[in-house]
Amino acid sequence: MKKFIISIIVSAAFAGCSSNLDINQDPDSLNPENAPLSAQLPAGITGIIGSEGASMAIIGGMWSQYWTQSNAANQYNSIDNYSIGTADYNYIWNGMYDALGDIRNVKRKALAEENWNYYLVATVLEVQASQVLTDFYGSIPYKEASNASILQPKFNTGEEVYTYMIDDLNDALARPLASSKGFPPSNDDFIFRGDMTKWIKFANTLKLKVYMRQTNSSRAAIANAGITAMLAAGTVFLNEDAGLILDKEGKPIFTDAVNQSNPLYEFNIRKMSVATNLRMSTTLASFFDTNGDTRKAKYYLAGNSLNQGDYESAVGAGTIAVVNQSYATPALLMTKEESLFLQAEAKERYQGGVGAKALYDAAVNANFTRYGLSGATFVAGSYAYPTAGTLDQKIEAIITQKWIASFPGNGFEAFFEKNRTGYPKTSAVYQTDTAHYVPGQIVYSKTGTTAGLFPKRLVYPLSERNANPNVPSLVPITTPVWWAKN
């Protein structure tokens, strides 16, 4: 048997997979029409998670200000100072679309075979990856993407992609799983091992997210109607993590070996051969300090914080805390906490807040539990849900805690939510102004190159611009995507 390590992860995203991720042949070398569904699905899953969990996680964590570039290195300067250009991180786009190619092959083949189980799994993965891509880039290829007969696919607008994602989820959820033909997913499904009840919950939660992201946009009415209908129907959502966690034997899926570790660890530490690139940002650290939050010692090693973007600081690097990373950390497409926070916000916005506090408390507690800690004193104290507060105060509490809970690998979701809601708030001063800086507020990078404007997106990569004349005109990374609040 050939050991298959996804090429995206090794040569592009540098992320890793467990030694248990064995299939007979690399699906990229097979005829997609003849390859079994069970051979193509693993490539799609690990390709998406490898891309999102490595370089996307670096960017998301930097722009959500969990970490900042070390003043003893320069690996991520262009991220920290907002100067990412078309020549940077092309493998994010390429890796994601390579993985989506495998996923869409599975979807097309499953549709032809009426294998509705694989069809649902593939659709959920297609939507999850597309949601991250469109939220980072705006317009993306969707309808014509990953089609061997269309080498230069058209780009759909962000609004169109959002419509298609909801339509596709509804279509997959409506298929009769009980009469699905062929073999069901099993150990080739690295996420839920073929448990279709969990895939239905994941699909529902993605629908909720896609609707929720539109709440402050010109399509708020669509979001309102969609979420209201889901809540009225008693839709069931995820109550657990979705991602690479355990192998088929129930053991941790990642190991301490080359190309077999957590993607962020593999990318940032093993591949870069520097364990200290990412340092504790004053932004999150100051919030932890103000609230006496015990998660700080789990997120970071011992030391002081570094102000965001202050990588030219003369302060001794040995005194600045390093981000705590482990090869064994699960790589997640969606966390239990994200699902609970989404539900809490939906209850608050559309059902008068009934049940919102319980969901919020459960989400905060779940994140503390993830690190072996108790959140009981915090949800009863400094993080108590503002039941008597305004809607904005409640949304701020939810999004602030979601920001914290998206550490380390899902920081891009915190970045998107900041753009959607405005939370955490933006500071009017830099962090050296200790008399006026409010702990936890997002600051403009000290070395920022965009005249005080924050990044709101990624720019299209040179690889796509050179290959596809349909790529839209470039806009600055400071231009918000269509659904953003500011």
Side-chain angles (χ1 to χ4, degrees):
M1 174 175 285
K2 174 184 175 182
K3 177 75 68 178
F4 175 55
I5 301 297
I6 302 301
S7 60
I8 302 167
I9 294 175
V10 176
S11 63
F14 310 124
C17 300
S18 166
S19 59
N20 291 297
L21 309 190
D22 293 347
I23 59 176
N24 289 324
Q25 296 186 49
D26 178 349
D28 288 337
S29 68
L30 301 175
N31 182 335
E33 300 304 319
N34 298 328
L37 298 173
S38 59
Q40 296 183 77
L41 181 62
I45 291 174
T46 52
I48 291 169
I49 291 179
S51 293
E52 292 183 15
S55 44
M56 280 185 169
I58 295 287
I59 295 169
M62 193 77 76
W63 287 353
S64 294
Q65 302 191 0
Y66 301 151
W67 47 68
T68 187
Q69 169 63 54
S70 171
N71 61 341
N74 60 11
Q75 184 63 43
Y76 307 121
N77 287 9
S78 65
I79 303 174
D80 213 356
N81 67 22
Y82 316 144
S83 64
I84 292 180
T86 59
D88 300 313
Y89 300 98
N90 279 217
Y91 47 76
I92 290 177
W93 181 276
N94 298 336
M96 288 288 278
Y97 272 104
D98 186 80
L100 277 168
D102 292 313
I103 293 300
R104 286 175 170 137
N105 283 339
V106 171
K107 184 177 178 180
R108 281 190 288 266
K109 190 174 178 65
L111 176 63
E113 297 176 358
E114 297 184 17
N115 191 320
W116 305 130
N117 292 310
Y118 273 100
Y119 188 75
L120 176 61
V121 171
T123 301
V124 171
L125 292 168
E126 175 188 35
V127 169
Q128 193 281 333
S130 298
Q131 172 254 307
V132 175
L133 280 167
T134 190
D135 287 352
F136 257 133
Y137 292 96
S139 299
I140 61 168
Y142 189 90
K143 276 296 185 182
E144 294 185 354
S146 309
N147 187 329
S149 65
I150 302 176
L151 300 181
Q152 297 175 339
K154 294 179 181 178
F155 278 62
N156 297 111
T157 66
E159 293 94 330
E160 289 173 337
V161 173
Y162 264 64
T163 295
Y164 297 147
M165 290 192 295
I166 292 293
D167 289 346
D168 286 348
L169 287 171
N170 285 338
D171 172 59
L173 285 166
R175 301 288 177 164
L177 298 186
S179 60
S180 178
K181 297 179 180 179
F183 291 104
S186 182
N187 285 326
D188 56 308
D189 167 13
F190 298 151
I191 297 176
F192 294 132
R193 303 293 169 183
D195 189 328
M196 298 311 298
T197 299
K198 294 179 180 180
W199 279 106
I200 291 170
K201 292 179 181 179
F202 192 7
N204 290 336
T205 313
L206 272 177
K207 270 184 65 177
L208 179 60
K209 182 199 285 194
V210 172
Y211 278 133
M212 191 68 72
R213 195 134 291 164
Q214 302 176 79
T215 51
N216 291 323
S217 75
S218 59
R219 290 160 56 101
I222 294 174
N224 297 349
I227 297 172
T228 299
M230 293 184 79
L231 295 178
T235 304
V236 181
F237 302 104
L238 269 181
N239 193 40
E240 61 185 293
D241 296 329
L244 295 183
I245 305 170
L246 302 175
D247 65 16
K248 62 186 178 183
E249 298 172 350
K251 299 176 182 178
I253 201 164
F254 294 122
T255 61
D256 190 11
V258 174
N259 294 327
Q260 296 174 16
S261 305
N262 166 275
L264 180 59
Y265 182 94
E266 193 74 23
F267 181 95
N268 180 57
I269 293 182
R270 202 186 305 278
K271 184 66 181 182
M272 299 303 173
S273 301
V274 179
T276 59
N277 266 318
L278 301 179
R279 302 296 181 120
M280 176 169 64
S281 171
T282 295
T283 305
L284 182 52
S286 64
F287 188 85
F288 280 159
D289 289 342
T290 297
N291 292 285
D293 196 316
T294 52
R295 287 175 291 186
K296 181 182 178 183
K298 300 294 185 177
Y299 283 25
Y300 309 105
L301 302 181
N304 300 316
S305 65
L306 185 64
N307 293 338
Q308 193 69 39
D310 194 17
Y311 53 75
E312 296 175 345
S313 172
V315 175
T319 68
I320 304 171
V322 175
V323 173
N324 187 14
Q325 295 181 70
S326 170
Y327 69 86
T329 301
L332 306 176
L333 294 175
M334 180 176 284
T335 65
K336 174 181 179 179
E337 295 95 303
E338 182 182 4
S339 175
L340 291 169
F341 283 127
L342 280 167
Q343 294 174 62
E345 183 176 355
K347 292 282 189 179
E348 200 58 68
R349 287 184 182 273
Y350 303 105
Q351 287 194 330
V354 177
K357 179 184 183 302
L359 289 161
Y360 168 89
D361 288 354
V364 175
N365 281 318
N367 193 244
F368 276 90
T369 298
R370 187 180 295 279
Y371 298 97
L373 303 169
S374 173
T377 58
F378 293 94
V379 295
S382 55
Y383 298 154
Y385 192 67
T387 306
T390 65
L391 176 61
D392 283 345
Q393 289 171 329
K394 293 170 183 176
I395 300 302
E396 180 177 11
I398 292 168
I399 301 302
T400 298
Q401 289 301 317
K402 186 190 286 189
W403 165 57
I404 298 170
S406 296
F407 179 98
N410 299 81
F412 48 82
E413 285 297 332
F415 168 70
F416 299 149
E417 291 292 63
K418 162 65 173 171
N419 291 339
R420 175 176 72 94
T421 68
Y423 299 120
K425 293 178 180 177
T426 300
S427 176
V429 300
Y430 189 61
Q431 288 157 333
T432 50
D433 186 351
T434 56
H436 299 99
Y437 175 67
V438 177
Q441 290 193 349
I442 302 293
V443 299
Y444 185 77
S445 172
K446 183 177 182 180
T447 48
T449 59
T450 51
L453 299 177
F454 286 87
K456 302 292 184 180
R457 63 167 67 223
L458 292 175
V459 295
Y460 297 116
L462 195 60
S463 58
E464 184 69 11
R465 295 184 70 220
N466 288 340
N468 189 350
N470 294 314
V471 176
S473 299
L474 288 181
V475 295
I477 66 170
T478 54
T479 301
V481 296
W482 66 274
W483 48 254
K485 182 177 182 178
N486 52 13

